[in-house]
Amino acid sequence: MQSAVVKPKANNSLLVSLQSTWGTWGLALVILGAFSVPFLGQDATFIHVKIPLLAPFSNFSFPLGTDDLGRDLLSRLAVGATISLLVGSVVGGLSALTGLTLGLLGGLNEGKSIDTAINRLIDLVYSLPSLVIVVLMAVFLEPFILNLLPTSINSTDWIRPVVKVAGLILALAFFSWPDTAKIIRAETLRLVREPFVEAYYSLGGGIWRLITKHLLPNLSPYLLLSLTLSVPRAILTESTLSFIGLGIEAPLSSWGTLAAEGWYLLKTAPHILVLATAGILLSMLCFHQITQQIDRQFARK
Amino acid sequence: MQPASTTPTTKRSLMANLPWRWLLNRLLNGGLTLVIVLSLTFILLRLMPGGPFDNPKLPESVKLALEARYHLNSPLWEQLASYFQGLLRGDLGPSLVNEGRTVADLLKDSVPVSLALGLLAGVIGIPAGVGIGLWLGLKEGSKNWPASLVEGLLVLILASPSFLIAGGLVWLFAVKLAWLPVALLSTPAHWVLPVATLCSVPIVSCSFLVKKSVIETKHQLYVTLKYAYGLPNKLILLKHLLKPSLLPLVAVSAPLLANLLTGSFAVEYLFAIPGMGKQFIAAIINRDYTVVLGLTGLYALFLLVFNLVSDGLLVLIDPRLKESTNQ
């Protein structure tokens, strides 16, 4: 049987074209920064009491200086990259998984009650005031998850910040999957009307193989596109929430918490706000560039 | 429904064409959504640890008496039922933390501020975005450096979180140049920076949308034909280049406006504006259940109303959309 990928070159050329944008390489730089935390030789949470607000480039051990408490700014920035990327990628992954499953389920059962139910759910999520509910959920989920865990884990002191991040991720993912589900459903509806699907069914093919061998390869660019939209949005929302003080809490720090610190020190040490936002800005611009590249690739088809 | 007389009465046919069934359906759905939002919020709030009267200085007996006074110790479903009963009478309940004030009272303080801020940003931002988008769309393809500069700036704004835009504006206009004040809203000058920060969102999204639409339209044969007819440029711009972008513009401005009103958390926090966002955060921290419920309901109501109005406009513009916007 002929390969059912409608445009066989599409995925391949998409990946090739992504390699040639600076967005991909900029993002790679951010990821590298996130993984560099253990190699920087400084503890991001250690307070050097004697050297608060060290200027950048003035001390070799603290290349970017220190914050108002005397913590190394470079390693705090790197920890921020880890948290932001972690939140972004897990939210993106969760929403891609949920969106793909429900989108396929809806698209393959068009007009049936399960499709209607999924559509109703999507409409409900869209009609909720997202930021308000995210704030509520982020506050609520932390003690909720803590209650579910056994007390042996519960009492360790690293668990609270981890659970806080997990709660934030779940709250963000809850509002992120409908976009993916909508894109995947629409694409599935288009694909199942293609002649190759009819041919596949007439040859007696099963549904599972249709999904894995024929639909998924055709859906993958759309999944990638939805990822490049959901991941930066999650990072942006997380940083805004952390900035207000409702997101990531000490001892963890994200770019948002760092920016909040920089905001208070705007007059004395403006470079803290500049550095923290540079991280956010760089990753947002890279994601924007990648999205545009994928859009252009779609337009060319 | 056919008009009885044969004379064409536009007003009558408009009334007949209005999608009444669609409207009724949407209103019922909206009401249901509101009930779901309020019930979910109510349950979420009660499952949260801590309460409005958690104060170590407060004797246990006083706390119990306070809880009894606000019926916080009766079964959850009873409280929910009585809340909805109050709501049907238009009563949002008393604030638990602010002694002697009702939720409606508190909302009267904060809602107009946020509403004015958001609407002002929308009224300035959306037309500005349309104008910029039109200009960028016309300049697309020709090597025009101001256009490229503006476009780069727009991408930069798109990539920035609102606190960065606010930070940049404050640093430039309040710290360096000292032209404008930063916090609170006492004089008109105080409004400039918050509104400018909020404006950035509609400017960016509208300009990209209009630009895309204009680029798609400007090489269409019918537009070239209009130029060949010798129609005045302005007429072509407004009537033929901008018109196709009307549909996506209406579709996008409802969530945009709703976001401006509801998504101004960061801006209100930064500029110390006593609006809904600030009140909401304070109410969550204080576990002021009724205030959180009132604000959440209001946020949901705003979103529903804006979506309804924009979908209604879309259906009036293009009746084929009735199917797709009927949830």
Side-chain angles (χ1 to χ4, degrees), chain A residues 120 123-124 126-129 131-133 135-137 139-140 143 236 239-240 243-244 246 256 259 263-264 266-267 270 273 277 280-281 284-285 288, chain B residues 29 33 36-37 41 44-45 47-49 155-156 158-161 163-164 166-167 170 175 265-266 269-270 280-281 284 292 296 299-300 303-304 327:
Chain A
R120 286 279 162 122
D123 286 332
L124 180 68
Y126 274 134
S127 60
L128 296 177
L131 202 59
V132 173
I133 307 279
V135 169
L136 262 178
M137 280 170 84
V139 177
F140 158 75
L236 209 61
S239 69
T240 306
F243 183 80
I244 304 177
L246 293 170
W263 178 258
Y264 285 114
L266 188 62
K267 271 193 169 174
L273 184 62
T277 46
I280 302 172
L281 211 55
M284 288 305 120
L285 284 174
H288 179 75
Chain B
N29 268 317
T33 310
I36 294 175
V37 170
T41 314
L44 268 181
L45 278 171
L47 292 176
M48 248 192 246
V155 171
L156 208 62
L158 178 74
S160 328
F163 58 80
L164 174 60
V170 166
V175 180
F265 275 54
Y269 174 84
L270 279 171
F280 184 74
I281 294 169
I284 285 190
V292 175
T296 311
Y299 276 128
L303 196 59
L304 285 169
Q327 26 173 311

Side-chain angles (χ1 to χ4, degrees), chain B residues 45-103:
Chain B
L45 278 171
R46 289 312 161 83
L47 292 176
M48 248 192 246
F53 311 117
D54 280 357
N55 186 344
K57 285 180 194 159
L58 216 60
E60 196 64 18
S61 57
V62 177
K63 193 181 152 191
L64 284 177
L66 276 170
E67 276 175 358
R69 181 172 150 204
Y70 293 111
H71 309 291
L72 294 183
N73 41 13
S74 49
L76 207 59
W77 65 269
E78 243 172 49
Q79 293 181 40
L80 189 63
S82 72
Y83 182 77
F84 276 117
Q85 270 175 11
L87 210 58
L88 285 178
R89 290 194 307 268
D91 178 16
L92 291 167
S95 163
L96 303 182
V97 176
N98 299 281
E99 183 69 41
R101 301 200 68 188
T102 62
V103 175

Side-chain angles (χ1 to χ4, degrees), chain A:
Chain A
M1 194 174 146
Q2 278 281 321
S3 161
V5 178
V6 185
K7 274 103 183 180
K9 277 187 191 162
N11 293 329
N12 223 345
S13 63
L14 183 63
L15 289 181
V16 169
S17 77
L18 281 183
Q19 276 172 23
S20 63
T21 63
W22 56 262
T24 319
W25 298 105
L27 201 62
L29 190 74
V30 177
I31 295 171
L32 203 69
F35 279 105
S36 74
V37 177
F39 307 109
L40 292 175
Q42 288 288 350
D43 183 354
T45 55
F46 190 82
I47 297 172
H48 302 267
V49 185
K50 283 185 182 167
I51 43 165
L53 289 175
L54 205 63
F57 312 120
S58 62
N59 186 327
F60 186 71
S61 333
F62 306 98
L64 292 178
T66 55
D67 66 3
D68 57 334
L69 293 177
R71 291 173 291 193
D72 178 37
L73 210 53
L74 179 65
S75 50
R76 292 202 76 200
L77 216 55
V79 170
T82 320
I83 298 291
S84 296
L85 284 181
L86 184 80
V87 170
S89 53
V90 178
V91 169
L94 279 178
S95 69
L97 211 63
T98 320
L100 183 65
T101 313
L102 293 183
L104 269 174
L105 217 56
L108 290 172
N109 298 299
E110 191 197 356
K112 290 185 192 154
S113 52
I114 184 150
D115 185 33
T116 319
I118 291 170
N119 279 337
R120 286 279 162 122
L121 191 62
I122 291 175
D123 286 332
L124 180 68
V125 176
Y126 274 134
S127 60
L128 296 177
S130 59
L131 202 59
V132 173
I133 307 279
V134 165
V135 169
L136 262 178
M137 280 170 84
V139 177
F140 158 75
L141 282 170
E142 182 191 352
F144 184 73
I145 299 173
L146 276 178
N147 275 341
L148 290 180
L149 295 171
T151 38
S152 54
I153 308 176
N154 218 333
S155 49
T156 49
D157 48 345
W158 52 265
I159 194 73
R160 262 187 66 96
V162 172
V163 166
K164 178 93 202 178
V165 175
L168 194 63
I169 285 173
L170 284 178
L172 288 174
F174 178 74
F175 282 97
S176 166
W177 66 267
D179 288 337
T180 314
K182 270 201 155 171
I183 297 175
I184 295 295
R185 179 177 177 272
E187 243 344 81
T188 309
L189 281 185
R190 196 183 62 80
L191 282 173
V192 292
R193 294 207 176 90
E194 296 274 345
F196 79 84
V197 175
E198 203 178 329
Y200 176 85
Y201 277 132
S202 65
L203 285 172
I207 186 84
W208 188 243
R209 194 181 155 82
L210 175 76
I211 292 173
T212 52
K213 287 271 175 188
H214 304 292
L215 291 185
L216 280 185
N218 284 307
L219 290 174
S220 59
Y222 293 90
L223 208 56
L224 189 66
L225 183 70
S226 73
L227 268 179
T228 58
L229 294 173
S230 64
V231 173
R233 210 174 41 197
I235 293 178
L236 209 61
T237 314
E238 178 275 314
S239 69
T240 306
L241 284 179
S242 301
F243 183 80
I244 304 177
L246 293 170
I248 309 295
E249 282 172 356
L252 293 177
S253 69
S254 79
W255 286 331
T257 49
L258 213 57
E261 224 171 86
W263 178 258
Y264 285 114
L265 300 169
L266 188 62
K267 271 193 169 174
T268 45
H271 67 275
I272 298 180
L273 184 62
V274 171
L275 284 173
T277 46
I280 302 172
L281 211 55
L282 176 65
S283 38
M284 288 305 120
L285 284 174
C286 291
F287 274 113
H288 179 75
Q289 179 71 13
I290 292 171
T291 316
Q292 284 222 313
Q293 188 66 32
I294 297 176
D295 264 353
R296 233 171 278 146
Q297 202 72 18
F298 277 176
R300 211 172 289 158
K301 273 204 284 186

